[in-house]
Each structure stands twice: as C-alpha cells, then as structure tokens.
C-alpha cells in the first residue's frame, strides 16, 4: 500500500480539489501497481475549518484515509512526522495541501520506489510559477542552504519526497527537536534519486511559509547540521586578535617616538566595543547550540495528536464493481 502524508494548515479552499485529484491518483495506483492508496491528512491546528471540511468529505471519498488533528500548531515538519508514524503503507510520500506540487509526482515517486532503483525519491523543482519576490527569496534561501548546510541538496531545494518502509522507520528514530526533516533525509544516505517537476501557482490564499519561518528553518538547519557559526566565531576571534595585536604595536611605537602624549580615548573605546560585540556574538552562537542540546535531552514528543479519525473510503457502486471485474 502507498501512504501519502498531507500536512494541512489554512487549506480549507483546497479540500474539494484535494479529494478530486487524490481520487484520480488512487485509481491510477490501483491500476498500475495493483495496490491501494491511503491518504493521511494531518491538520496542524489550522485556524480555519480545514478539519471540519475534511471530516465531512473523507467518508465519501473513494480511497482509504486517516484524519489527525494536532493539539496545537507544531509546524509542517512535525505534521509530516505525525503522518509517517500513523501511516500503515509499504511506501510513503509527502505532498503539500496547497497542491503546488502536482499530485502526479506521487506516481513518479512510487514508480522509482517499486522498481527498486531507489530508497528515497526527492522532488526537484525545475521551475516555479510564483511571484518574483517569492522566487527570489526562495532561490536565496536554498542557495545558502546548499552552500552551508547540505551540499548535496538540489539548487531549487526539496519540499516533498517519497521513501520505502526502511527509510520511514530510520527517519522516525531520529527524534531531534528544532531540526530539518529534509536535512535528516539527506543525512540518512541510502540510494537516492531525483524526480524533476514544475511547481504550480497557488490558486487560493497566501502561503503560510513566511520569511520569518524560512529564517527560523534556516537557523535550525544550520545549528543542527553544521558547525558554521563556531567556525565563523573562530575566524572572527583570530582576526580580532590580529587586529588588536597590530593596533597594540602601532600605539606602542607611536608612544615611544613621542607622537602620543597619552593613550587615545578613541582607540580604547573601539577595542572595547569590538571585543565586547565579539563576545556577545560568541555567547549567542554557543547558547544556540546549548539550547538545542538541552531541548533534545527533555525527550518531549515532537507533536501531540488530539483526534484521530479513520475512513475506509466510500463503497464502490455496482457499475464500478462490474467494470473492475471486466478489467481483472
């Protein structure tokens, strides 16, 4: 069985389209691979009526599904983890509820996983039909991510992926707070393939993936997967010592030659300010690592589920059953 995890947050307008497009995907999976599809919707405490609309629509949908509601907003990566833990399939895939990733990408993931040439299939954006500012910020974000966090990640970034059960189990063992799910997928290694696609325009509303969330995600990734801040601090410290040494020699020579009657006030203030700022920056970097280490020692669950509903899918009509029998 294929299990598809769908994190939901402020996506009420997309519910009818989700049901329609996922119904088509489920039918193609059954015809092409002879297996059912399970869709696991994880509503991350969405403030709109996404949960109520899904609760009303899923019993009539022609596919098996689960509907989970988080006790509060834990974030999209936590929602994906919740869905992976609840999913019961042999193959797994993730997709956003705003349908900017085309649902046929799920079929291409499954093809690569079933035929055995990959354990992980990641979606790689070849282009994106987004506003100019959004494209610019996304390109800068992923360029920095690729340069300093995960060098193997595609230049356009990764938002969705598919995997087999072994990868799902290994991924759930890595219960790191304030980390990057995409970074963990690449950290696992195994056989990985890339599936290109074109990102579609968002049809309704505005994305909840704001600049602030991007910055927070980037910082979590940096502190979770690289020692870049420590290396930057070390370089700044070495440069500061070099500058201070040169300045000390310069002041000492000027003093011996009688060009300075007394130690300069400006020089003293500059040196104190520079090293004071450097110490504060260093404390911030070290504190970020220490705080994340402390968070992981608490062993708190990464998300709490308030409600779980399971739907077996609407029964097929007599004509559908006769049609299935003729195809068999």
């Amino acid at each position: 069985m294929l299990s598809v995890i769908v994190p939901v947050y402020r996506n009420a307008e997309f519910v009818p389209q989700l049901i329609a497009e996922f119904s088509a995907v489920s039918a193609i999976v059954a015809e092409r691979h002879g297996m059912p599809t399970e869709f696991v919707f994880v509503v991350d405490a969405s403030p709109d009526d996404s949960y109520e609309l899904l609760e009303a629509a899923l019993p009539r949908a022609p596919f098996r599904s689960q509907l989970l509601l988080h006790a509060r907003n834990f974030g999209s990566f936590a929602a994906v983890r919740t869905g992976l833990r609840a999913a019961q399939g042999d193959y797994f895939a993730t997709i956003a509820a705003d349908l900017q990733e085309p649902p046929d990408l799920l079929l291409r993931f499954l093809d690569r996983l079933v035929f055995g040439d990959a354990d992980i299939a990641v979606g790689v954006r070849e282009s994106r039909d987004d506003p100019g500012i959004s494209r610019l910020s996304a390109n800068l974000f992923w360029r920095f991510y690729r340069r300093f966090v995960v060098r193997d990640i595609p230049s356009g970034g990764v938002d969705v992926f598919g995997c087999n059960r072994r990868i799902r189990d290994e991924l759930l063992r890595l219960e790191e707070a304030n980390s990057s799910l995409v970074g963990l997928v690449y950290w696992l290694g195994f056989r990985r393939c890339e599936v290109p696609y074109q990102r579609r325009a968002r049809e309704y509303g505005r994305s909840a993936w704001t600049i602030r969330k991007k910055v927070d995600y980037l910082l979590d990734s940096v502190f979770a997967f690289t020692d870049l801040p420590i290396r930057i601090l070390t370089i700044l410290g070495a440069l500061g010592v070099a500058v201070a040494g040169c300045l000390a020699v310069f002041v000492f020579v000027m003093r011996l030659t009688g060009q300075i009657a007394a130690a300069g006030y400006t020089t003293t203030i500059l040196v104190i300010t520079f090293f004071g700022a450097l110490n504060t920056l260093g404390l911030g970097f070290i504190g970020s690592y220490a705080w994340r280490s402390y968070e992981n020692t608490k062993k708190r669950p990464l998300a709490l589920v308030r409600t779980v509903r399971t739907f077996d899918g609407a029964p097929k009509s007599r004509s559908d059953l006769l049609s299935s029998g003729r195809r068999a």
Side-chain angles (χ1 to χ4, degrees):
M1 184 169 67
L2 169 66
S3 291
V4 180
I5 290 82
V6 189
V8 180
Y9 186 78
R10 295 184 184 273
N11 300 122
E13 302 89 347
F14 294 92
V15 169
Q17 189 177 355
L18 282 171
I19 301 301
E21 298 212 29
F22 288 169
S23 298
V25 168
S26 176
I28 296 174
V29 170
E31 182 178 354
R32 183 182 301 178
H33 297 284
M35 66 174 71
T37 304
E38 170 195 48
F39 290 90
V40 183
F41 297 87
V42 183
V43 181
D44 192 29
S46 181
D48 61 8
D49 55 350
S50 295
Y51 179 82
E52 289 76 13
L53 291 174
L54 286 168
E55 188 178 32
L58 289 178
R60 302 190 300 270
F63 50 76
R64 179 176 178 178
S65 62
Q66 296 186 53
L67 178 60
L68 296 86
L69 176 63
H70 273 173
R72 66 170 177 82
N73 182 253
F74 288 95
S76 60
F77 289 144
V80 172
R81 280 183 169 274
T82 296
L84 287 172
R85 194 176 300 278
Q88 301 176 6
D90 303 288
Y91 303 97
F92 307 86
T94 65
I95 191 169
D98 59 13
L99 292 174
Q100 288 194 263
E101 286 77 28
D104 68 325
L105 189 60
L106 301 171
L107 302 171
R108 298 164 65 191
F109 283 165
L110 185 60
D111 288 342
R112 301 298 298 270
L113 296 172
V114 169
F115 295 145
D117 62 343
D119 299 303
I120 304 172
V122 295
V124 178
R125 288 185 294 267
E126 291 186 326
S127 63
R128 55 168 68 230
D129 191 5
D130 291 335
I133 296 179
S134 178
R135 288 199 305 270
L136 177 61
S137 63
N139 290 335
L140 291 175
F141 173 87
W142 288 112
R143 185 174 301 173
F144 187 93
Y145 197 99
R146 185 181 186 187
R147 176 66 178 84
F148 296 107
V149 183
V150 180
R151 297 183 181 273
D152 294 337
I153 204 166
S155 58
V158 171
D159 289 329
V160 293
F161 66 93
C163 65
N164 56 28
R165 179 176 286 272
R166 170 71 188 279
I167 299 301
R168 191 283 301 263
D169 294 343
E170 295 292 347
L171 193 60
L172 291 179
R173 290 176 56 192
L174 305 175
E175 296 185 350
E176 300 179 11
N178 303 294
S179 186
S180 163
L181 186 63
V182 173
L184 292 176
V185 167
Y186 274 80
W187 180 88
L188 286 175
F190 289 89
R191 299 176 301 166
R192 187 171 55 244
C193 70
E194 297 181 354
V195 180
Y197 71 96
Q198 293 185 348
R199 183 177 171 89
R200 305 192 298 192
R202 184 183 178 94
E203 295 188 12
Y204 306 101
R206 298 176 58 184
S207 174
W209 188 237
T210 60
I211 297 294
R212 178 181 176 182
K213 290 184 177 181
K214 290 180 180 178
V215 172
D216 290 341
Y217 171 49
L218 184 60
L219 291 177
D220 285 341
S221 301
V222 167
F223 287 115
F225 293 97
T226 177
D227 62 346
L228 176 64
I230 300 299
R231 288 189 280 119
I232 292 177
L233 183 61
T234 302
I235 294 173
L236 289 176
L239 291 176
V241 170
V243 170
C246 294
L247 186 61
V249 172
F250 174 76
V251 172
F252 182 72
V253 171
M254 296 288 287
R255 176 77 174 181
L256 291 180
T257 57
Q259 300 182 47
I260 298 180
Y265 173 79
T266 302
T267 303
T268 303
I269 292 300
L270 288 176
V271 171
I272 292 175
T273 302
F274 175 76
F275 281 102
L278 191 62
N279 286 333
T280 303
L281 181 65
L283 288 175
F285 285 161
I286 301 301
S288 295
Y289 281 102
W291 176 75
R292 282 164 171 77
S293 299
Y294 174 60
E295 282 291 300
N296 286 325
T297 63
K298 295 178 181 178
K299 299 299 181 181
R300 291 176 181 172
L302 301 182
L304 295 175
V305 177
R306 193 179 82 185
T307 305
V308 178
R309 297 288 305 277
T310 301
F311 307 97
D312 293 330
K316 293 184 178 181
S317 64
R318 177 178 174 81
S319 61
D320 291 337
L321 292 174
L322 291 174
S323 177
S324 299
R326 284 195 296 268
R327 284 199 300 267

